[in-house]
Amino acid sequence: MAITAFAPGGGAVEQAPRKRPWTALILLAPGIAYMLLFFLAPFIQLIITSLQAPAASGGIGEYVAAFQLSNYADAIVEYWPHILRSFAYALIATVVGLLISYPLAYLIGVKLRALPMLQGLALILVVAPFFISFLLRTLAWKQILPSEWIGTHFSVVFGLIYNFIPFMTLPIFSSLQQLDMRLVEAGADLYASPTTTFFKVTLPLSMPGVVSGTLLSFIPMSGDYVNASREFLGGTDTAMVGNVIEANFLQTQNYPIAATLSIVLMAIILVIVATYVRRSGTEDLL
Amino acid sequence: MVDAEKFAESGADLELQAIQKRFPGFTAVEELDLTIPAGSFFALLGPSGCGKTTTLRMIAGLEEPTAGRIVIGGTDVTRLKPHARPVNTVFQSYALFPHMTILENVAFGLRRRKVGDPVAKAHEALTLVELDHLADRKPSQLSGGQQQRVALARAVVNRPALLLLDEPLGALDLKLRRQMQQELKKIQQDVGLTFLHVTHDQEEAMTMADTVAVMNQGRIEQMGAPEELYDRPRTVFVANFLGQSNLFQVEVVETTDRLIRTSAGSATIVLPRERAERDSGSMTVGVRPEKLRLHREAPAADGAVNVVGPARITDISFIGVSTQYTVESAEYGELQVFAQNVEAGPQASLGDEVWVSWSAGHTFGLADDPTATGPVAADFSTRAIATRAALAE
């Protein structure tokens, strides 16, 4: 369901005549193999790890196969503030990011439509930051921002917003680029003020872009561990669930807890995304 | 079908005072003065790029005039935003909101104006166009003709002082278009609104409108009832755009109170003086193809009948109700003759030598000549062409 939200245009797919069913299978094989090898297998491994118990020898990082469901309870009890903080940060950053990206996308996709040169230039400016490493850019902000701001909630959310603006802007731009301006004229003709026309016509018609953009930002933001880490923009009380997973995995070598937190994060995101896509009612726009 | 009480509100006069619209590179509408009386069905007819759609968009408020005033029902609306004008448009593209149901599309304008009971009124308007059973569908689930009717209902439901129709029947097939033409006219008569219909289809304009204004290159060439325009075109453009015409370049020989006698090569063409725009020098006269008769021998010319010939039949097309003959002579060029098929069997065959005659009273004299480029010199600069192409989209 979430995946369909990423398709910008939608549109009907022509049904090809089905002569040889195995042709389709051969064409799908590389994709299926890829998914099995790089998604399903690691995912099963992750579940197995999340249920492991410490080895009898008691050595650091040594675990044996088990069915220790209590790992989940332990992880949630210990780390619920981090989980909550992750989603709070991601939510705030998504909302603020949307408020910045929508006008930007509207400017590029609607206002600059008649000026293709400027439109191309503006798009390049949105994408240009991708040419420089994400880590470098985040480090640069650490130098630019006043040092007393670093390590606060503000600096982490700021970093998240900054890093994900292109992911938010581009899908919204793509939706608004296709907006039929004649519908906006029809709104004006039918007694709707520019503001009403925006909320009744423009915004609903750009919802596929808004849904894609917010998902493309919110999901990676929730699991982000760069912005909130102490080496970058974070401090002692800004750790997100990603930082906790990293610490458990690489520092304390508590693999079961790291795996458990990863699965909990994934499950929560899945529930949020499914609810969101259904609520936003974008299925029939696609 | 229609509750007359519900739609009792009548339309309003529309007045365009010296309206002008310039785009960078060309002028779309030249100082246009036009008054459309309340309750009339008015058609603005012209080829694409003549400025008719720009005129309509200025009335709707979607385009701002460079100069001039727009007055609706005595109120100056020139500077009003589109949503503040008592005008609704049926768009060429229909412009139905794809994310709303048919019912919500129709109720849109009512909801914006906070009219009481918008849903019931929307259902009523959908009943008027016989689509109430599809109220819960989305526009994409409807056929072109149905969408067109929804667009009409969405506009009519607001009972605007003035309803603008921007070639709304263009995308329909011939049969559906005929049906919609009749329905539109019926709705206009039932609801009594002022309709302004913009079209390039001369037949559509003539069948539907009380008054037709023929527009060319940003100006109105001629305005009047359809019969009047057809019977007495005043310019070459109108003579050729509204139906077909046979035109002759003539020299005036003699002018009396009632008649003008002219010479066209070896033939004499006589026309009533009140049917001519000029009465001396050289002029262009014309006659409609269905007024012509074919003869195998030269008929005797008298003051009441004009005769041209001899000529040869170069093309015959059988239409069904009529047969169209193309006859050609060295002296007069090609002439079109439409003959009603009242008798069985071929009346003439290809290559026959014929004479053509018509009653002098059917001749009309035009104000300009076929070579004239018209009142506005054509602008063929790249920029003007690009601007026009962008506007046509």
Side-chain angles (χ1 to χ4, degrees):
Chain A
M1 193 193 314
I3 301 305
T4 57
F6 291 94
V13 178
E14 289 281 323
Q15 281 287 324
R18 287 158 188 273
K19 274 185 194 164
R20 303 173 190 151
W22 48 266
T23 315
L25 213 63
I26 291 171
L27 289 172
L28 279 174
I32 292 172
Y34 181 92
M35 289 303 280
L36 287 178
L37 202 63
F38 295 107
F39 177 72
L40 201 63
F43 185 62
I44 291 167
Q45 176 64 41
L46 196 67
I47 294 172
I48 293 169
T49 309
S50 76
L51 296 169
Q52 280 174 344
S57 62
I60 291 171
E62 285 175 33
Y63 296 91
V64 292
F67 193 72
Q68 195 159 302
L69 276 174
S70 62
N71 284 346
Y72 283 84
D74 293 347
I76 291 168
V77 166
E78 196 175 344
Y79 295 113
W80 70 265
H82 300 87
I83 297 174
L84 206 64
R85 187 183 295 138
S86 295
F87 287 109
Y89 281 177
L91 185 70
I92 296 167
T94 304
V95 171
V96 178
L98 181 64
L99 293 178
I100 296 171
S101 296
Y102 200 98
L104 185 62
Y106 189 86
L107 174 79
I108 304 172
V110 177
K111 294 284 173 194
L112 295 184
R113 218 184 272 183
L115 307 160
M117 274 283 281
L118 266 181
Q119 190 184 42
L121 197 70
L123 270 180
I124 290 173
L125 287 178
V126 171
V127 184
F130 283 131
F131 300 156
I132 304 163
S133 158
F134 153 63
L135 297 179
L136 271 180
R137 280 183 287 122
T138 313
L139 266 183
W141 275 115
K142 194 176 184 173
Q143 304 303 313
I144 297 166
L145 293 175
S147 57
E148 61 270 24
W149 289 11
I150 303 299
T152 59
H153 299 309
F154 173 81
S155 63
V156 177
V157 173
F158 178 90
L160 288 171
I161 295 169
Y162 165 76
N163 277 309
F164 288 95
I165 277 201
F167 294 96
M168 184 80 92
T169 308
L170 290 177
I172 300 176
F173 158 76
S174 151
S175 262
L176 284 172
Q177 170 83 346
Q178 293 165 30
L179 177 72
D180 186 347
M181 292 314 285
R182 293 176 295 191
L183 296 175
V184 176
E185 288 188 343
D189 187 66
L190 292 162
Y191 313 105
S193 65
T195 317
T196 314
T197 306
F198 175 78
F199 285 109
K200 295 286 175 187
V201 180
T202 309
L203 187 61
L205 288 174
S206 59
M207 272 319 270
V210 172
V211 171
S212 303
T214 47
L215 289 180
L216 279 174
S217 312
F218 182 82
I219 298 171
M221 275 177 185
S222 324
D224 183 79
Y225 68 95
V226 172
N227 288 286
S229 87
R230 265 183 272 183
E231 284 84 48
F232 290 87
L233 302 171
T236 41
D237 37 281
T238 62
M240 293 168 70
V241 67
N243 303 91
V244 177
I245 294 171
E246 184 212 14
N248 269 297
F249 200 87
L250 298 177
Q251 286 154 34
T252 58
Q253 293 179 19
N254 192 344
Y255 304 130
I257 290 298
T260 306
L261 282 172
S262 300
I263 289 170
V264 169
L265 178 66
M266 196 186 283
I268 297 174
I269 289 176
L270 211 63
V271 171
I272 293 176
V273 167
T275 319
Y276 175 60
V277 171
R278 191 160 294 179
R279 274 296 187 83
S280 64
T282 45
E283 299 99 319
D284 46 74
L285 273 181
L286 294 167
Chain B
M1 181 172 74
V2 182
D3 184 357
E5 291 300 310
K6 274 285 170 204
F7 292 94
E9 205 175 298
S10 68
D13 290 348
L14 167 73
E15 246 182 284
L16 301 183
Q17 301 171 350
I19 279 291
Q20 190 183 46
K21 180 68 185 177
R22 285 200 210 98
F23 289 107
F26 83 106
T27 303
V29 177
E30 285 276 343
E31 299 229 6
L32 190 74
D33 283 290
L34 186 66
T35 303
I36 301 176
S40 63
F41 198 134
F42 192 96
L44 209 49
L45 172 70
S48 61
C50 73
K52 59 189 193 300
T53 296
T54 306
T55 306
L56 183 115
R57 288 174 60 82
M58 285 193 287
I59 299 165
L62 302 172
E63 211 82 67
E64 208 177 315
T66 315
R69 295 205 320 150
I70 300 167
V71 179
I72 297 171
T75 317
D76 185 344
V77 300
T78 319
R79 303 278 156 234
L80 285 185
K81 292 273 175 211
H83 69 270
R85 298 190 185 197
V87 170
N88 285 113
T89 310
V90 181
F91 292 91
Q92 185 171 18
S93 62
Y94 313 142
L96 299 179
F97 303 122
H99 58 297
M100 294 181 195
T101 62
I102 297 307
L103 186 72
E104 278 310 308
N105 262 284
V106 177
F108 190 91
L110 299 171
R111 287 197 197 280
R112 299 292 82 75
R113 289 197 307 169
K114 312 244 179 321
V115 171
D117 212 357
V119 171
K121 289 201 172 75
H123 276 299
E124 209 171 297
L126 282 171
T127 309
L128 182 72
V129 295
E130 294 172 10
L131 282 177
D132 199 33
H133 58 292
L134 300 178
D136 295 329
R137 300 253 184 108
K138 289 280 174 75
S140 59
Q141 294 168 295
L142 266 57
S143 71
Q146 290 170 332
Q147 289 186 26
Q148 198 276 329
R149 276 141 74 190
V150 174
L152 180 65
R154 187 177 70 169
V156 169
V157 73
N158 301 298
R159 272 179 279 162
L162 177 65
L163 186 77
L164 305 175
L165 301 142
D166 183 11
E167 307 215 20
L169 309 180
L172 307 183
D173 62 58
L174 190 66
K175 201 175 160 196
L176 197 56
R177 193 155 63 204
R178 287 275 154 74
Q179 191 189 330
M180 285 309 304
Q181 284 172 3
Q182 286 166 6
E183 277 183 45
L184 259 178
K185 189 150 188 171
K186 186 176 179 312
I187 288 169
Q188 194 263 340
Q189 284 161 355
D190 287 345
V191 301
L193 303 176
T194 311
F195 275 37
L196 173 57
H197 185 186
V198 155
T199 180
H200 66 268
D201 183 334
Q202 45 111 355
E203 200 181 308
E204 189 168 297
M206 287 204 281
T207 44
M208 295 167 77
D210 319 320
T211 312
V212 176
V214 182
M215 206 168 169
N216 183 32
Q217 295 185 324
R219 280 177 196 273
I220 290 181
E221 292 250 338
Q222 194 177 348
M223 199 168 100
E227 306 81 29
E228 195 186 313
L229 286 185
Y230 187 81
D231 185 53
R232 256 218 75 201
R234 290 209 185 91
T235 65
V236 171
F237 179 81
V238 176
N240 285 326
F241 192 75
L242 206 73
Q244 282 176 271
S245 296
N246 294 305
L247 301 180
F248 304 89
Q249 286 291 124
V250 298
E251 290 290 331
V252 175
V253 174
E254 187 194 352
T255 304
T256 69
D257 296 350
R258 288 178 39 250
L259 294 174
I260 298 176
R261 193 176 301 278
T262 69
S263 75
S266 57
T268 297
I269 294 176
V270 177
L271 67 153
R273 191 166 178 179
E274 80 264 13
R275 288 176 63 84
E277 292 295 310
R278 299 190 206 169
D279 54 11
S280 62
S282 68
M283 64 190 276
T284 303
V285 298
V287 64
R288 296 291 186 183
E290 74 279 5
K291 305 290 197 291
L292 301 188
R293 263 168 230 281
L294 291 177
H295 305 271
R296 294 204 176 272
E297 289 134 27
D302 60 44
V305 177
N306 293 322
V307 176
V308 164
R312 214 161 276 285
I313 295 181
T314 56
D315 189 52
I316 300 177
S317 22
F318 178 75
I319 306 295
V321 292
S322 67
T323 304
Q324 300 191 3
Y325 299 94
T326 305
V327 303
E328 204 174 332
S329 79
E331 210 171 342
Y332 313 105
E334 273 191 4
L335 299 179
Q336 299 290 328
V337 181
F338 296 171
Q340 289 288 314
N341 290 328
V342 281
E343 280 156 62
Q347 304 304 305
S349 44
L350 217 58
D352 283 1
E353 192 181 58
V354 290
W355 278 260
V356 168
S357 80
W358 71 92
S359 156
H362 287 139
T363 320
F364 47 80
L366 302 174
D368 56 355
D369 298 314
T371 44
T373 46
V376 184
D379 188 346
F380 291 116
S381 72
T382 336
R383 194 171 181 194
I385 291 167
T387 318
R388 254 176 246 185
L391 284 171
E393 264 173 21

